[in-house]
Coordinates of all heavy atoms in Angstrom, one line a residue:
A210 N -25.0 37.1 0.3 CA -24.2 38.4 0.2 C -23.3 38.4 1.3 O -23.6 38.1 2.4 CB -25.3 39.6 0.2
D211 N -22.0 38.9 1.1 CA -20.9 38.9 2.0 C -20.6 37.6 2.7 O -20.2 37.6 3.7 CB -21.3 40.0 3.0 CG -21.4 41.3 2.5 OD1 -20.6 41.8 1.7 OD2 -22.3 42.1 2.9
S212 N -20.8 36.6 1.9 CA -20.4 35.2 2.3 C -18.9 35.1 2.3 O -18.3 35.8 1.6 CB -21.1 34.0 1.7 OG -20.8 34.2 0.3
A213 N -18.3 34.1 3.0 CA -17.0 33.9 2.8 C -16.5 33.5 1.4 O -17.2 32.6 0.9 CB -16.5 32.8 3.9
G214 N -15.6 34.0 0.9 CA -14.9 33.6 -0.4 C -13.8 32.7 -0.2 O -13.9 31.6 0.5
D215 N -12.7 33.3 -0.5 CA -11.4 32.4 -0.2 C -10.8 33.0 1.0 O -11.0 34.0 1.4 CB -10.5 32.5 -1.3 CG -9.2 31.6 -1.3 OD1 -9.4 30.6 -0.6 OD2 -8.2 31.9 -1.7
F216 N -10.1 31.9 1.8 CA -9.5 32.4 3.0 C -8.3 31.4 3.3 O -8.2 30.3 2.9 CB -10.6 32.4 4.3 CG -11.2 31.1 4.5 CD1 -10.7 30.1 5.4 CD2 -12.4 30.7 4.0 CE1 -11.2 28.9 5.7 CE2 -13.0 29.5 4.1 CZ -12.4 28.6 5.0
F217 N -7.3 31.9 4.0 CA -6.1 31.2 4.3 C -5.9 31.3 5.9 O -5.5 32.4 6.4 CB -5.0 31.8 3.4 CG -3.9 31.0 3.3 CD1 -2.9 31.2 2.3 CD2 -3.6 29.9 4.1 CE1 -1.8 30.5 2.1 CE2 -2.4 29.1 4.0 CZ -1.5 29.4 2.9
V218 N -5.8 30.1 6.4 CA -5.4 30.0 7.8 C -4.1 29.9 8.1 O -3.5 28.8 7.7 CB -6.4 28.9 8.5 CG1 -6.0 28.8 10.0 CG2 -7.8 29.1 8.3
H219 N -3.4 30.9 8.6 CA -2.0 30.6 9.0 C -2.0 30.5 10.5 O -2.3 31.4 11.3 CB -1.2 32.0 8.7 CG -1.3 32.3 7.2 ND1 -0.4 31.9 6.2 CD2 -2.2 33.2 6.4 CE1 -0.7 32.5 5.2 NE2 -1.8 33.2 5.2
A220 N -1.4 29.4 10.9 CA -1.3 29.0 12.3 C 0.1 28.4 12.6 O 0.3 27.1 12.4 CB -2.6 28.2 12.8
S221 N 1.0 29.3 13.0 CA 2.4 28.7 13.2 C 2.5 28.5 14.7 O 1.8 29.0 15.5 CB 3.4 29.7 12.8 OG 3.2 31.0 13.4
Y222 N 3.7 27.8 15.0 CA 4.0 27.5 16.3 C 5.5 27.7 16.5 O 6.4 27.3 15.8 CB 3.7 26.0 16.6 CG 4.1 25.6 18.1 CD1 3.3 26.0 19.1 CD2 5.2 24.7 18.4 CE1 3.6 25.6 20.4 CE2 5.5 24.3 19.6 CZ 4.7 24.7 20.7 OH 5.0 24.3 21.8
D223 N 5.7 28.4 17.7 CA 7.0 28.8 18.2 C 7.5 27.7 19.2 O 7.0 27.9 20.4 CB 7.2 30.1 18.7 CG 8.7 30.6 19.0 OD1 9.5 29.7 19.2 OD2 8.9 31.8 19.0
H224 N 8.3 26.7 18.9 CA 8.6 25.7 20.0 C 9.5 26.2 21.1 O 9.6 25.6 22.1 CB 9.3 24.6 19.3 CG 10.7 24.9 18.7 ND1 10.8 25.5 17.5 CD2 12.0 24.7 19.2 CE1 12.1 25.6 17.4 NE2 12.8 25.2 18.3
T225 N 10.1 27.4 20.9 CA 10.8 27.9 22.0 C 10.1 28.6 23.0 O 10.6 28.8 24.3 CB 12.0 28.9 21.5 OG1 11.3 30.0 20.8 CG2 12.9 28.3 20.4
T226 N 8.9 29.2 22.6 CA 8.1 29.9 23.6 C 6.8 29.1 23.8 O 6.1 29.5 24.9 CB 7.7 31.3 23.0 OG1 6.8 31.1 21.9 CG2 8.9 32.0 22.7
G227 N 6.4 28.1 23.1 CA 5.1 27.5 23.3 C 3.9 28.2 22.9 O 2.9 27.9 23.3
E228 N 4.2 29.3 21.9 CA 3.1 30.1 21.6 C 2.8 29.8 20.2 O 3.6 29.5 19.4 CB 3.4 31.5 21.9 CG 3.6 32.0 23.3 CD 3.9 33.3 23.5 OE1 4.8 33.8 22.8 OE2 3.3 34.0 24.4

Side-chain angles (χ1 to χ4, degrees):
D211 296 316
S212 59
D215 190 24
F216 59 91
F217 199 159
V218 177
H219 302 270
S221 61
Y222 178 72
D223 186 337
H224 66 279
T225 64
T226 65
E228 294 178 317

